[in-house]
Amino acid sequence: MNIEQLRADTPGVEQLIHFNNAGAALMPDPVIDVMTRHLQLEARLGGYEAAGQRAFELENVYGSIGRLINARPDEIAVIENATRAWDMAFYSLPLGPGDVVLTSTTEYAGNYIPYLQLKKLRGIEIRIIPNDEQGQVSLPALQDMLGDDRVALVSLPVIATNGGPVQPIEEIGALARAAGVLFLLDACQGVGQMPIDVQKIGCHLLAATSRKYLRGPRGMGFLYIEKSLCERLEPAFLDLHSAALLSPDSYEIRADARRFENWECNVAAKLGLGAAVDYALTQGIEPMWQRIQHLASHLRHRLANLPGVAPQDSGSVKSGIVTFTHQGHGAAQVQQWLAGQDKRINVTTSTFRSTLLDMQQRGLQEVSRASVHAYNTEAEIDAMIHALERMPRR
Ligand SMILES: Cc1ncc(COP(=O)(O)O)c(C=O)c1O
């Protein structure tokens, strides 16, 4: 990879060391340019007229996302964030009393709360797939659990918001397919970071966001839904974009995945998402994944050698999200210290509220999270380690 070019494309790296790519990564110039140009066009022409001028580019966003995850453009819906994309999929599934949802200990609270809501409203049952000794979903346990014909859905994140393992999603997908069970994949922390191929994974539905490892703008995301399922699935919400009003008594839902979208959208951000996907594809997802894993393993190694610091990620494959605890300091203090004065190093804090099952199981209240991207460098990691070494003792 041409790291110098990657950094030259990323104005933010001149100002700070950004290890919060799992929160929101620094946008590269092509993304910033397409969005600012579009906002200027809106100011000069009017919002609808500007979108009309960019109709071709807006259509291409679906093709770009399709290339990123190996899907057809008509299997993609562009939705304002991963949460709403996921919700549109989950709440549209015909889950009823006694239907079982299988999820992982690493599930995101934003997804787990909807499971609890449908447990309350529709009587579904939630079961947690145990982990194997390395900390990822146990495939033999999953296979066993899939033997119960009340299981209607497997739903989990490929990478948790608080790091940990990269789940074996191709194996999980194969088991779900063999059992005839739907697989909803939360790829929010995966897209842009690692290869995500819906054909290889065999997931039926996938939700993702723009602003994290894809390096797109905030307030954008997308949903993938397999074509044959899309045609059968009535969205939980409809409007005049997802459906057409034919008469005072009838409507027709559109055939493609855009039946899960709604009319109004941030057009500049949608173009920004498209530019971010194109940028990632130009860099090459596989080389970026290799570099992210290399930097993350360098960072884990350096952290492990710091007195009082314990890296916290498990799993046979680990991602760019590096988590650790510090014996002498809380995660908020670590975050504040690294950001402070002339250091300007962005890390963040993951609390048990966003991944409660996993944190409870590991007896953790919170972890510090330093999430690296391909544009980060070993020198930046060394600067963070040096800053941690200088952290005053309490
Ligand atoms: C694993 C996971 N899933 C879903 C989400 C929600 O994404 P969004 O904020 O784009 O709705 C996040 C955000 O941190 C996440 O880490």
Side-chain angles (χ1 to χ4, degrees):
M1 294 204 77
N2 186 343
I3 309 304
E4 269 173 36
Q5 187 58 51
L6 260 185
R7 290 179 70 78
D9 291 343
T10 310
V13 300
E14 287 166 24
Q15 322 290 324
L16 44 83
I17 296 179
H18 192 65
F19 292 144
N20 192 11
N21 295 291
L26 297 176
M27 289 183 285
D29 278 333
V31 173
I32 302 163
D33 290 349
V34 86
M35 289 174 64
T36 42
R37 273 205 311 274
H38 192 73
L39 288 178
Q40 279 158 1
L41 205 62
E42 286 191 344
R44 286 205 312 275
L45 297 184
Y48 287 35
E49 293 74 9
Q53 281 217 353
R54 291 284 171 267
F56 179 72
E57 289 84 348
L58 284 164
E59 202 49 43
N60 282 345
V61 174
Y62 297 87
S64 295
I65 297 171
R67 277 193 295 287
L68 178 74
I69 61 167
N70 195 14
R72 301 159 46 115
D74 62 357
E75 294 176 313
I76 306 297
V78 175
I79 300 178
E80 58 265 35
N81 52 53
T83 300
R84 274 293 168 268
W86 188 96
D87 285 344
M88 283 304 289
F90 178 69
Y91 284 102
S92 303
L93 295 171
L95 297 172
D99 282 341
V100 172
V101 174
L102 300 183
T103 189
S104 60
T105 58
T106 57
E107 184 56 295
Y108 182 61
N111 301 343
Y112 196 83
I113 292 166
Y115 302 149
L116 287 175
Q117 190 187 32
L118 284 207
K119 181 177 174 184
K120 184 174 71 179
L121 297 180
R122 295 196 210 157
I124 69 162
E125 199 184 308
I126 310 160
R127 291 187 194 158
I128 311 299
I129 314 161
N131 292 328
D132 65 16
E133 359 15 274
Q134 282 164 311
Q136 64 239 353
V137 158
S138 159
L139 296 170
L142 172 60
Q143 187 158 25
D144 266 11
M145 294 170 95
L146 284 166
D148 183 337
D149 60 13
R150 286 181 303 156
V151 174
L153 180 70
V154 174
S155 173
L156 48 83
V158 53
I159 299 168
T161 196
N162 64 338
V166 177
Q167 299 291 3
I169 45 177
E170 289 184 19
E171 291 79 358
I172 293 171
L175 290 174
R177 287 260 166 191
V181 169
L182 292 177
F183 180 20
L184 164 56
L185 180 65
D186 175 349
C188 193
Q189 297 289 3
V191 290
Q193 173 165 197
M194 60 179 283
I196 295 282
D197 179 327
V198 293
Q199 308 302 329
K200 285 190 185 157
I201 300 164
C203 55
H204 302 83
L205 303 136
L206 174 152
T209 208
S210 146
R211 72 183 181 285
K212 298 180 187 287
Y213 276 87
L214 262 182
R215 306 183 63 192
R218 296 195 64 174
M220 260 297 132
F222 66 87
L223 173 68
Y224 155 79
I225 174 160
E226 188 187 57
K227 190 170 166 47
S228 60
L229 175 63
C230 180
E231 285 158 1
R232 288 183 279 129
L233 208 58
E234 175 125 4
F237 298 110
L238 289 175
D239 74 344
L240 78 182
H241 167 81
S242 51
L245 188 58
L246 301 179
S247 76
D249 297 316
S250 62
Y251 62 86
E252 187 178 47
I253 306 177
R254 57 184 297 162
D256 60 15
R258 291 181 220 184
R259 58 169 55 191
F260 291 92
E261 294 182 349
N262 60 74
W263 157 249
E264 175 54 1
C265 114
N266 182 338
V267 177
K270 187 168 177 177
L271 291 168
L273 166 61
V277 172
D278 291 343
Y279 185 78
L281 288 171
T282 308
Q283 303 309 314
I285 303 292
E286 185 58 44
M288 280 207 290
W289 178 220
Q290 295 302 323
R291 176 159 171 87
I292 289 168
Q293 285 180 302
H294 160 75
L295 290 173
S297 115
H298 177 64
L299 175 54
R300 285 193 189 95
H301 179 72
R302 296 294 313 270
L303 287 168
N305 287 322
L306 279 183
V309 173
Q312 290 293 345
D313 301 307
S314 56
S316 55
V317 182
K318 299 184 187 74
S319 76
I321 306 181
V322 177
T323 61
F324 59 97
T325 46
H326 197 306
Q327 228 172 41
H329 301 281
Q333 281 174 305
V334 170
Q335 179 175 347
Q336 220 176 6
W337 169 254
L338 291 175
Q341 292 155 7
D342 57 340
K343 296 186 289 307
R344 309 197 69 186
I345 302 171
N346 291 343
V347 303
T348 188
T349 300
S350 259
T351 70
F352 78 97
R353 290 222 177 273
S354 50
T355 39
L356 184 133
L357 302 185
D358 170 67
M359 298 289 262
Q360 262 188 352
Q361 198 170 70
R362 294 192 290 147
L364 294 168
Q365 280 293 311
E366 57 171 21
V367 288
S368 294
R369 184 180 78 177
S371 42
V372 296
H373 208 304
Y375 61 77
N376 290 126
T377 62
E378 280 95 343
E380 290 181 325
I381 289 173
D382 295 346
M384 175 178 147
I385 297 296
H386 186 53
L388 285 174
E389 279 165 350
R390 282 182 290 139
M391 202 168 170
R393 291 193 182 279
R394 263 203 309 215

